[in-house]
Amino acid sequence: MIRKVGFVWLAIMLTAALLLSACGNSKEVNSTPTNSAGVKDGDGSSPKPSELPPYEINLVFYGPAQKDLDLVAEEMSKITKEKINATVKLVRIEPAAWDQQSILMLTSKEQVDLIVTGGSSYSRQVAQGQLLPLDDLLQEHGQDIIKAFQPEVLAASKVNGQTYAVPSIRDFASDPIVLMRTDLLEKYNLSLDNVKKLDDLDAIFKVIKENEPNINVLGKASAAASIGNRLLETQWDILGDYIGVLPNLDELKVVNLYETPEYADMLKTIRRWYLAGYIHKDAATSNETAVDYIKANVGFATISKGKPGAVAQTENRTETKLSSVSLGHQITSTTNITSIMLGIPTNSKDPARTMMFLNLLNSDPDLVNLINWGIEGKHYAKVSESSIDFPPGVDSTNSGFNLRQGWMFGNQLLSYTWATDIPELWKEMEVFNRESKKSAALGFTYNPIPVKTELAAISNVTRQYSMALETGTLDPEVNLPKFIAALKDAGIDKVIAEKQKQLDEWAENK
């Protein structure tokens, strides 16, 4: 998944900030599970499928167009009809139209049973009373969901003590890694054995630049990210927006990221690389990424978010063999977990049946593989018991269903792996998640309302400085002090004090 840089998230948060004030006094929604006839399941048992009237579950998500989307929904419905007497309708929205269309759907009376949510959208939807509290529904109809999660991970989505969405089970953790072209490493006999920290990359980058002058040595992980972005979000708990972070995951001490020695040191290194020509001169403004450069045979490396399978997946995108080295231990924060979740809107006409469906998305491999990969024999073919590839005559250009968004729907670890992935991907992912360093603030959600004015000013300042500094375009010796001074003038100290206050209150009531 691709994350945006901090000021972009901040801008989105501020758009919804006024709505968050409704959290404390929003209209209560009855979350007691009901069956399709409107009768509460007082004995706590789930009705048998034969006892339930037919129902169509509308699942709303974003993604690229898929010609066979309705065919996949029909196959999914065969499973859900047998198990919960419900059919499935997959409602796809173009990613570029997602914010606008999802808001319209939730504010109208249109039936929406299950919707993708996360980040600031989640906070906004909870504040507006658009999502149902799910705790009772989980107990009644979501026991497989509860079993699939570590308790602290499932609890990370709670707002004011209540669960309003269920995270998808995927890569909850990440570490900072550097991906480099294997052919060039081998060509110049370069070893990664001695690369332990950021500055150790200089020796490798120097050789590549001297011998391959037309190569863009280091590119951005995504168009919206800086060179330093992936380093920051994989080593710190950014507490949602980078404006007040936890450098020590064991302590609930919020600090100004931009005043830390670690941030200053990172900027010095990136500036040195920029001046040496390792980073493209228009990196701060260009939408070109390292994947674009490497695929076009004019790129060498990128700093990325590490997880099991990350190398193979990037190799598949770049069509190039890559080597990797990790620069730290994997961490898990609230931001990692709550970025992609599924919630049941108040627009649902049968929340209980929808929870039964969500429970199946976290427990039924056949259903999970259908929504992740499509129909066997038509969209994929098995190459082993757990691995798949395109069927003969089918590829990414002509497949009727090639969504590849398994990280969005339920338990991804139940699905097949693609032929280009490592065979034990999901087992390694489960261990990777479990062994990650958990932030002491796991489950904390920040309410920006008390400092919304300051955050608006801070957003303008970060937009002016952060991308240029974190790509090496601006000299940090001159401009970092200016950045910090402008942040203070905008009120960052007040914001950090407010975030610390909320964090302390959360810890006390945890």
Side-chain angles (χ1 to χ4, degrees):
M1 289 184 53
I2 297 176
R3 296 188 193 278
K4 299 179 182 178
V5 290
F7 71 81
V8 178
W9 278 110
L10 182 56
I12 296 172
M13 289 177 64
L14 290 169
T15 302
L18 287 172
L19 301 171
L20 285 168
S21 60
C23 279
N25 58 5
S26 60
K27 179 175 62 177
E28 287 191 13
V29 180
N30 186 349
S31 62
T32 305
T34 61
N35 63 28
S36 296
V39 180
K40 294 178 181 179
D41 300 321
D43 62 356
S45 61
S46 297
K48 297 177 182 178
S50 60
E51 298 172 346
L52 296 168
Y55 185 71
E56 182 178 70
I57 297 168
N58 289 350
L59 168 56
V60 180
F61 66 99
Y62 59 83
Q66 305 294 316
K67 180 172 65 73
D68 293 342
L69 188 67
D70 290 341
L71 290 179
V72 171
E74 288 176 12
E75 290 299 311
M76 292 175 66
S77 295
K78 292 177 183 179
I79 297 174
T80 56
K81 189 171 179 59
E82 177 184 347
K83 294 194 172 184
I84 59 174
N85 199 24
T87 55
V88 177
K89 182 178 181 181
L90 298 177
V91 183
R92 183 199 68 87
I93 296 175
E94 280 291 329
W98 174 251
D99 286 343
Q100 181 181 12
Q101 290 299 314
S102 61
I103 289 172
L104 288 174
M105 295 179 82
L106 293 178
T107 53
S108 70
K109 294 183 180 180
E110 183 175 356
Q111 178 185 332
V112 180
D113 295 293
L114 202 60
I115 191 167
V116 172
T117 185
S120 59
S121 296
Y122 179 55
S123 299
R124 182 186 70 235
Q125 290 157 4
V126 171
Q128 289 183 295
Q130 294 172 342
L131 296 178
L132 288 169
L134 303 181
D135 297 279
D136 290 342
L137 286 165
L138 281 165
Q139 289 299 324
E140 293 285 352
H141 305 296
Q143 284 299 312
D144 291 320
I145 296 173
I146 294 172
K147 292 175 186 175
F149 278 89
Q150 291 178 280
E152 67 271 21
V153 174
L154 183 58
S157 66
K158 286 183 179 291
V159 177
N160 295 330
Q162 290 189 300
T163 303
Y164 291 89
V166 175
S168 58
I169 299 179
R170 57 188 194 285
D171 52 316
F172 292 139
S174 60
D175 62 333
I177 63 170
V178 186
L179 300 174
M180 289 168 268
R181 279 174 53 179
T182 303
D183 62 336
L184 292 180
L185 290 173
E186 292 177 346
K187 182 177 180 179
Y188 298 107
N189 197 28
L190 296 169
S191 172
L192 301 182
D193 293 344
N194 294 322
V195 178
K196 308 296 181 184
K197 59 185 186 300
L198 205 60
D199 290 338
D200 294 337
L201 293 167
D202 283 73
I204 293 175
F205 289 172
K206 185 175 186 292
V207 171
I208 298 299
K209 187 62 180 178
E210 288 178 349
N211 291 278
E212 304 282 346
N214 295 322
I215 289 286
N216 292 305
V217 179
L218 183 63
K220 299 188 293 186
S222 73
S226 67
I227 295 294
N229 175 256
R230 297 302 192 259
L231 290 167
L232 297 173
E233 68 177 10
T234 56
Q235 297 183 93
W236 305 59
D237 187 338
I238 62 173
L239 296 176
D241 64 359
Y242 294 87
I243 311 304
V245 302
L246 299 182
N248 186 336
L249 299 187
D250 292 320
E251 298 179 2
L252 299 179
K253 176 62 177 175
V254 184
V255 305
N256 184 346
L257 164 67
Y258 307 107
E259 287 188 302
T260 62
E262 292 86 354
Y263 186 75
D265 289 344
M266 181 192 77
L267 294 187
K268 290 177 183 177
T269 298
I270 293 174
R271 176 65 174 177
R272 184 173 69 246
W273 292 345
Y274 179 86
L275 293 175
Y278 306 155
I279 299 170
H280 201 277
K281 294 300 181 184
D282 66 351
T285 57
S286 173
N287 288 326
E288 296 293 323
T289 70
V291 167
D292 299 323
Y293 290 140
I294 294 172
K295 189 172 183 178
N297 201 35
V298 293
F300 172 66
T302 188
I303 299 171
S304 187
K305 289 173 57 181
K307 62 178 180 178
V311 177
Q313 289 164 10
T314 309
E315 286 178 338
N316 194 38
R317 293 171 61 200
T318 60
E319 301 173 0
T320 306
K321 186 70 175 174
L322 300 171
S323 300
S324 73
V325 61
S326 176
L327 300 178
H329 187 73
Q330 70 267 30
I331 68 169
T332 297
S333 68
T334 304
T335 307
N336 294 119
I337 295 170
T338 60
S339 59
I340 294 292
M341 301 186 288
L342 289 170
I344 301 178
T346 53
N347 292 16
S348 174
K349 300 185 186 306
D350 195 334
R353 194 81 64 93
T354 304
M355 179 56 73
M356 294 178 199
F357 173 60
L358 182 54
N359 194 61
L360 290 175
L361 286 176
N362 283 274
S363 60
D364 189 307
D366 292 334
L367 193 66
V368 170
N369 278 305
L370 274 167
I371 197 167
N372 287 1
W373 301 119
I375 301 169
E376 184 176 1
K378 184 176 182 64
H379 305 121
Y380 73 86
K382 283 189 174 182
V383 296
S384 71
E385 278 302 307
S386 60
S387 181
I388 59 174
D389 203 341
F390 287 118
V394 178
D395 59 29
S396 61
T397 65
N398 62 16
S399 175
F401 190 87
N402 190 36
L403 186 61
R404 294 183 180 266
Q405 292 182 182
W407 41 266
M408 184 178 279
F409 308 108
N411 189 347
Q412 187 182 24
L413 276 59
L414 295 177
S415 66
Y416 298 126
T417 57
W418 200 252
T420 53
D421 285 323
I422 56 177
E424 301 297 313
L425 175 60
W426 300 136
K427 289 182 180 179
E428 291 189 20
M429 188 75 76
E430 187 174 11
V431 173
F432 186 77
N433 286 338
R434 187 172 62 248
E435 294 182 350
S436 67
K437 176 69 176 178
K438 308 296 193 299
S439 171
L442 192 64
F444 170 67
T445 301
Y446 167 54
N447 178 4
I449 280 294
V451 286
K452 61 183 183 295
T453 301
E454 289 78 11
L455 285 169
I458 289 168
S459 180
N460 291 331
V461 174
T462 55
R463 187 178 293 110
Q464 179 182 354
Y465 284 99
S466 64
M467 176 65 82
L469 282 168
E470 293 171 19
T471 55
T473 309
L474 288 179
D475 182 355
E477 293 292 335
V478 175
N479 292 283
L480 180 56
K482 292 180 181 179
F483 184 26
I484 293 170
L487 287 170
K488 288 185 177 295
D489 289 342
I492 194 170
D493 291 337
K494 182 179 178 181
V495 173
I496 290 172
E498 175 62 30
K499 186 175 279 190
Q500 183 70 67
K501 175 187 173 186
Q502 291 185 26
L503 184 58
D504 291 342
E505 291 172 351
W506 168 84
E508 185 177 347
N509 297 320
K510 186 178 177 182

